[in-house]
């Protein structure tokens, strides 16, 4: 067996990477000039780079390695499935054991009445499925005008044309002609940044009622669905005020529209339940899944569909699918991942131990002079940095300047923490121990101290 090893010196890997590999969401020239960091292996919550430096992965890869790195059970599940049946499709009235087993297992974990999964290989693909699914649903119901999907500004639903249009990332829409037609966006429940002097509960209600206003503006007969992440992840771990979701749920119940919960990050234990919808008491018609479904060990995603919606969709041919929908190897790995999450009690442990512990340690970071707010739910958290904490004021330099500096100080101190503007965010593997949470917080404080010192010496802060 030929391994792809770390046999080349780092500079050579970086040179070849710069010459031939184009990175997602990256200014190529800038990265190529300095060289990408090369990650060569990982175990538990720790990454190792090509220079042998250990880094605590506070992001679980990209919100996905819920089980942590180095679980050979998953490697073995993949190898065994490749030996048995590496690939077969599910288009032509065929199926195979791994997809049957995974779809059945998912149906056991989901809220009542959500028993059908349409598979994809990513969250983006699954959300593209959802666009077609909800429109086809209303067409079959004799209401073909119900096409518009309402989403939220600063939501993230993927990077394909359809899913990025659902998303509300203005900087993405600025390239390539998005959003596609019949998708609109309402304001998000981001109290820290947009709540002003309002009390959070009142702000949450106001932002939820924007959905009702948007349905009225468009005409209920033209609206197919509302899509939202239970907790916005890429937007900056935005935890809505407690009033928000109950009010959204009321509106969805009163109006004839479908609710899509994008569970790509929240699903599979991140919030301390199997799904964010359970944590937040949301009753969706469709849930998008990916990331934690396989802990990132294989690319797999899907749409979990309610019995009521599936009954309608099943009455006609749904002219949609991907070559790799229900890929046997990805399904086998996802199934093994779910087995380990369950048998090792990892989701329960998040709820009863890890999340409360993180919440306490994380909140203490509000004592730091740079941190205006430290919030967390389950095992995801955010730090809002501000030069004027009492007023939640932004810095006097371009948004993201300080965040980027802090991210670099994190890297230099052996921690992956991501920045969204000047908000620092984490979403570590669910298996993180208390000692590792302590280490994460200690490294975060070190990075914040160094960021603050830099801001002071540059005159950006007193
Ligand atoms: C990452 C993400 C997606 C897109 O998933 P990909 O696998 O990157 O296509 C969709 N929705 C949410 C909430 C995500 O965080």
């Amino acid at each position: 067996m030929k391994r792809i090893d770390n046999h080349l010196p780092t500079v050579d890997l970086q040179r070849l990477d710069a010459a031939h590999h184009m990175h997602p969401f990256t200014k190529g020239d800038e990265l190529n000039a300095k060289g990408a960091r090369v990650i060569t292996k990982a175990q538990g919550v720790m990454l190792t780079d090509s220079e042998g430096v250990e880094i605590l992965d506070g992001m679980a890869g990209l919100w996905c390695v819920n089980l942590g790195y180095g679980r050979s059970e998953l490697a073995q599940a993949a190898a065994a499935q490749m030996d048995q049946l590496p690939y077969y499709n599910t288009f032509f009235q065929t199926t195979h054991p791994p997809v049957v087993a995974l779809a059945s297992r998912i149906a056991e974990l989901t809220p009542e009445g959500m028993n059908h999964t349409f598979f994809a290989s990513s969250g983006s693909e699954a959300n593209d499925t959802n666009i077609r699914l909800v429109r086809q649903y209303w067409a079959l119901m004799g209401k073909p005008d119900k096409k518009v999907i309402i989403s939220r500004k600063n939501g993230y639903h993927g990077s394909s044309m359809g899913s990025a249009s659902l998303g509300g990332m203005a900087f993405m829409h600025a390239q390539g002609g998005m959003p596609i037609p019949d998708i609109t966006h309402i304001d998000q429940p981001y109290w820290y940044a947009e709540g002003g002097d309002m009390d959070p509960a009142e702000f949450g209600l106001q932002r939820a009622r924007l959905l009702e206003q948007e349905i009225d503006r468009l005409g209920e007969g033209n609206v197919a669905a509302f899509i939202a992440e239970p907790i916005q992840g890429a937007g900056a771990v935005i935890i809505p005020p407690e009033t928000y979701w109950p009010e959204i749920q009321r509106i969805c119940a009163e109006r004839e529209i479908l609710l899509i919960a994008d569970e790509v990050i929240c699903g599979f234990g991140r919030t301390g339940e199997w799904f964010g919808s359970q944590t937040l008491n949301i009753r969706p018609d469709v849930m998008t899944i990916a990331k934690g479904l396989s802990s990132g060990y294989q690319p797999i995603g899907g749409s979990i569909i309610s019995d009521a919606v599936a009954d309608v969709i099943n009455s006609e041919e749904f002219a949609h699918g991907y070559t790799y929908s229900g890929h046997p190897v990805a399904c086998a790995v996802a199934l093994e991942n779910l087995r380990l999450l369950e048998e090792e009690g990892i989701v329960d442990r998040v709820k009863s131990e890890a999340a409360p512990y993180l919440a306490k340690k994380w909140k203490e970071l509000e004592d730091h002079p740079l941190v205006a707010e430290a919030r967390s739910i389950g095992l995801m958290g955010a730090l809002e940095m501000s030069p004027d904490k009492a007023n939640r004021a932004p810095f006097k330099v371009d948004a993201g300047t300080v965040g980027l500096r802090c991210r670099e100080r994190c890297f230099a101190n052996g921690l992956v923490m991501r920045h969204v503007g000047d908000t620092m965010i984490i979403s570590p593997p669910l298996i993180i121990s208390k000692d590792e949470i302590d280490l994460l917080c200690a490294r975060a404080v070190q990075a914040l101290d160094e960021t603050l010192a830099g801001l002071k010496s540059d005159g950006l802060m007193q």
Side-chain angles (χ1 to χ4, degrees), residues 303-324:
S303 306
I304 304 175
I305 300 161
S306 72
D307 299 348
V309 172
D311 279 352
V312 173
I313 293 294
N314 281 338
S315 68
E316 274 289 339
E317 176 180 341
F318 185 34
H320 173 65
Y322 305 108
T323 300
Y324 297 138

Side-chain angles (χ1 to χ4, degrees), residues 4 8 37 112 160 205 250 321 339 377 397 402 450 459:
I4 301 170
L8 290 173
R37 184 186 279 253
E112 216 189 302
S160 59
L205 280 179
R250 173 191 70 76
R339 183 181 75 79
I377 182 168
V397 282
V402 178
E450 292 176 16

